[in-house]
Amino acid sequence: MSDDRRLEVLRAIVQDYVKTSEPVGSKALLERHRLGVSAATVRNDMAVLEEEGLITAPHTSAGRVPTDAGYRLFVDRLSTVKPLSRAERTAIEQFLGGAVDLDDVVSRTTRLLSSLTQQVAVMQYPSLSRSTVRHVELVPVGGTRLMVVLIANTGRVEQRVVDVGRDLSGDELAVADLRSRINGAAVGQLLSMIPARLASVLDAVPVDDRRVAESVAAALADAAAADTEERVVLAGTANLARVGTDFPTSLSSVLDALEEHVVLLRLIGGMSTLASGEAGDAVAVSIGHENPYEPLQTTSVVATRYGVVGGLGVLGPTRMDYPQAMAAVRAVAHYVAEILEG
């Protein structure tokens, strides 16, 4: 029973500290929470929590604040993450549903997450390597040039202009036939499978169209292999200034770290992969020194995967409203996946 009670005391300390940013004392706990025990018992529980490294005294005052380990225990012991309200979910759906293309989806998603959580929102662009083909379009653009447009199921568009060695401006039937053959072989397939899938197309096209087909196949293979995973979008960096005192060293080191997009991609990508391995729509949380990149060890990251194509999350100080951030990240990821993969 004492362990359960101490967990309640820890939960109360985390909640109060997140809300007030002030160290929490036993008197304040008794005033704000119905703990059902005496002040002496609360002080004893706080002493045990401090001995276990779950809370600490930032200075000589009687108040205590959670440590990284305390936040971790708090997050791990969350039995459920309170879902967003119906009004919040409707607002998310309507805001994201108004996007006109992939770039707009990403921009709206990061702005929305930043607004919901008051943290820095981070989103990885959908990975082409895990996307499938929605449609391939072939458009003659004059002379011997042909525009090859690859549209993924996520809405991502890659296009290449190739010289096919033949003027197709007056040969709509040949273009239409090749377009039909390519879509028949490629639609619904992983982009990584395009070269193999198009091999049968090359064998079946008329000899006179073989060079055109080979040029198109090469362009599609190049588009499918485009290194688009190395893109990440941020929103809400200014939110860090609002809580600048939460960073014990320097806010500038955190801001500098946010400029390292490769680091953010590895962090968000790794955490979202971890979340995808859990049951259901799990959310991964990395707290303080759990972050492998030293300049971000004064921050916490909450992330998940949207669909099977990318990761998104929020980054902020360890004094974060974890249940609210986890609920927002999970809900937004759900709607993004519906939009991009629906």
Side-chain angles (χ1 to χ4, degrees):
M1 181 63 70
S2 60
D3 287 344
D4 291 339
R5 189 185 64 239
R6 286 168 191 150
L7 182 60
E8 286 299 315
V9 172
L10 174 63
R11 181 179 291 111
I13 292 172
V14 170
Q15 292 172 343
D16 283 4
Y17 183 59
V18 167
K19 183 177 181 180
T20 68
S21 76
E22 297 292 336
V24 183
S26 58
K27 181 180 179 181
L29 288 178
L30 289 169
E31 291 175 348
R32 297 169 186 163
H33 303 272
R34 295 180 179 179
L35 298 176
V37 294
S38 67
T41 299
V42 171
R43 286 194 293 271
N44 287 337
D45 286 342
M46 292 178 68
V48 173
L49 291 172
E50 188 167 12
E51 289 176 2
E52 294 176 347
L54 300 174
I55 60 175
T56 187
H59 41 72
T60 57
S61 73
R64 299 293 184 270
V65 302
T67 63
D68 288 357
Y71 284 126
R72 168 49 61 195
L73 182 60
F74 170 78
V75 169
D76 289 346
R77 292 298 181 92
L78 286 174
S79 57
T80 59
V81 176
K82 182 181 177 181
L84 299 183
S85 68
R86 177 172 296 181
E88 289 173 318
R89 295 197 303 270
T90 300
I92 292 172
E93 186 175 11
Q94 291 178 344
F95 184 70
L96 294 181
V100 297
D101 56 24
L102 177 61
D103 291 335
D104 196 19
V105 170
V106 174
S107 175
R108 285 172 179 256
T109 299
T110 51
R111 286 186 286 129
L112 176 64
L113 259 182
S114 173
S115 175
L116 287 172
T117 64
Q118 295 301 299
Q119 310 294 349
V120 180
V122 185
M123 182 172 179
Q124 174 189 8
Y125 257 77
S127 165
L128 278 182
S129 65
R130 292 186 292 269
S131 302
T132 59
V133 179
R134 177 178 292 171
H135 182 70
V136 174
E137 187 58 57
L138 305 178
V139 183
V141 291
T144 61
R145 295 186 304 158
L146 184 71
M147 178 181 291
V148 181
V149 183
L150 171 63
I151 305 173
N153 65 316
T154 58
R156 185 149 196 89
V157 178
E158 291 288 325
Q159 60 185 39
R160 303 287 188 275
V161 176
V162 295
D163 188 333
V164 297
R166 177 173 135 207
D167 189 347
L168 295 172
S169 57
D171 200 349
E172 291 85 358
L173 288 178
V175 175
D177 178 68
L178 182 57
R179 180 192 300 118
S180 177
R181 291 175 184 272
I182 289 175
N183 279 291
V187 169
Q189 301 295 319
L190 286 171
L191 269 65
S192 58
M193 295 298 295
I194 281 184
R197 297 291 298 180
L198 294 186
S200 60
V201 174
L202 297 178
D203 293 337
V205 296
V207 175
D208 291 345
D209 297 331
R210 188 68 54 82
R211 179 178 175 183
V212 175
E214 290 174 347
S215 299
V216 170
L220 286 171
D222 179 68
D227 190 11
T228 55
E229 291 189 43
E230 297 301 315
R231 297 187 63 184
V232 66
V233 174
L234 306 179
T237 305
N239 286 328
L240 294 179
R242 178 177 50 82
V243 291
T245 55
D246 282 280
F247 299 98
T249 52
S250 172
L251 176 58
S252 62
S253 62
V254 177
L255 295 175
D256 288 342
L258 293 180
E259 296 295 325
E260 299 291 338
H261 284 193
V262 172
V263 171
L264 289 179
L265 280 165
R266 290 174 181 169
L267 183 60
I268 294 294
M271 290 180 62
S272 61
T273 298
L274 178 64
S276 67
E278 302 290 336
D281 48 0
V283 176
V285 181
S286 182
I287 300 170
H289 287 82
E290 295 173 354
N291 291 317
Y293 190 50
E294 184 176 353
L296 294 180
Q297 289 181 350
T298 57
T299 71
S300 286
V301 182
V302 177
T304 193
R305 180 165 297 281
Y306 58 92
V308 297
V309 293
L312 59 81
V314 295
L315 178 149
T318 55
R319 188 180 66 85
M320 178 188 295
D321 186 341
Y322 291 97
Q324 194 271 345
M326 293 166 72
V329 166
R330 184 174 62 185
V332 170
H334 169 76
Y335 286 110
V336 169
E338 283 193 341
I339 291 170
L340 295 182
E341 300 180 1

